[in-house]
Amino acid sequence: MFWLLNSGLSHQIIDVVLGPIETRMIEEAPKQEEPPPPPPPKIETPPPFVPPPEIAIELPAEAPATTAIQTTTTVRPTTPPPVAAPPAPTSRTAPKSDSRRPLTQPEYPPSSRRAGEAGTVILEVYVLENGRVGEAKVKQSSGFPRLDEAAVREVKRSWRLVPGTENGKPVPMWGQFAVTFKLTD
């Protein structure tokens, strides 16, 4: 076996067993041309201003209601009810951050970091009675939509706050919070 490989006879055996390799050129099938798409339908342009139709509704004239006194009594009227006291002043406190649960900073969007975007987003946050965030919206933008979206997403996802109170009881209430994005590199 070694002698066959060394002398080159193995190549002749392989050529005899496998035979010559044939190649053929295959022509491409002719492409069928598709008809062009139909032209878009012609749409009439509306006139620039269409005045509303004038509609006149005529109501039958009814007899005017009389304001004359119909009955009389000899009983004197009772004393008027006492005037209600003005409502007691309410003590309200706005929602605030919980010192036991510090507020988390949103993840800096990588594309904003590369672009060098920085700024402060002021958010209006609706804090529920249990301290969770019910809704958050941007009151004043940082000037970069990606930073604004990252701040709103983080506030809704993980912030827990001390709810606002009214007369000592927690109530759902809107509060303002600022989130600052600052590049430190």
Side-chain angles (χ1 to χ4, degrees), residues 66-161:
T66 59
T67 56
I69 298 174
Q70 299 292 325
T71 60
T72 57
T73 61
T74 57
V75 180
R76 297 189 124 199
T78 60
T79 59
V83 177
T90 58
S91 62
R92 292 178 64 123
T93 59
K96 58 186 174 191
S97 62
D98 190 352
S99 60
R100 293 176 291 159
R101 275 191 185 161
L103 301 178
T104 56
Q105 182 69 19
E107 182 179 339
Y108 216 114
S111 54
S112 293
R113 185 182 297 274
R114 284 191 300 273
E117 299 173 350
T120 299
V121 184
I122 297 178
L123 300 172
E124 283 198 346
V125 179
Y126 189 68
V127 182
L128 303 173
E129 299 97 344
N130 59 5
R132 292 186 181 267
V133 175
E135 187 178 343
K137 57 186 176 182
V138 177
K139 181 176 183 184
Q140 183 179 346
S141 173
S142 65
F144 302 102
R146 285 186 294 251
L147 297 180
D148 299 344
E149 291 168 11
V152 169
R153 187 172 40 252
E154 178 69 18
V155 168
K156 285 183 177 180
R157 183 175 60 103
S158 63
W159 278 19
R160 299 294 177 267
L161 304 162

